[in-house]
Amino acid sequence: VQLQASGGGLVQAGGSLRLSCVASGMIFRINDMGWYLQTPGKQRELVATITRDGTTSYADSVKGRFTISRDNAKNTVYLQLNSLKPEDTAVYYCNGNIDPTIVLRGINYWGKGTLVTVSS
């Protein structure tokens, strides 16, 4: 199983980006998916999660600005980033809790990350 994130880039403060993350490989079922961010010298921290049926949760710092969504048919999770701030600058990683087979279940996979840079 591989998760491939894309959509990062350089944007001015107040701008928007849309991140995508596609899961591929041996996949029986994708459970929760999420986005995390990491800045230099700090631990990876949760941004948003979404269950298979679409229930979402967000870090307080992004509520009202970021929106997580998913397309189960495409094995894809998205993160819409609006009203970006310089402090949102980070590498964003997608995460998926995946059942590769009907027997092998609940494995956590990470994408390689995509860099979001917000200039002031």
Side-chain angles (χ1 to χ4, degrees), residues 34-107:
W35 289 94
Y36 293 71
L37 66 82
Q38 189 168 22
T39 55
K42 294 188 177 181
Q43 290 196 347
R44 199 169 294 184
E45 58 186 74
L46 176 68
V47 176
T49 63
I50 184 167
T51 65
R52 182 169 179 81
D53 64 3
T55 302
T56 59
S57 65
Y58 297 91
D60 288 342
S61 60
V62 306
K63 283 181 181 176
R65 299 189 299 122
F66 293 5
T67 302
I68 189 170
S69 61
R70 66 190 284 172
D71 185 333
N72 290 334
K74 295 181 178 180
N75 290 342
T76 301
V77 62
Y78 305 96
L79 186 67
Q80 179 67 41
L81 294 74
N82 296 331
S83 302
L84 281 160
K85 305 174 182 179
E87 52 263 43
D88 295 321
T89 295
V91 177
Y92 286 72
Y93 295 89
C94 62
N95 172 271
N97 183 278
I98 295 173
D99 302 339
T101 71
I102 195 170
V103 176
L104 186 61
R105 298 203 173 195
I107 309 298

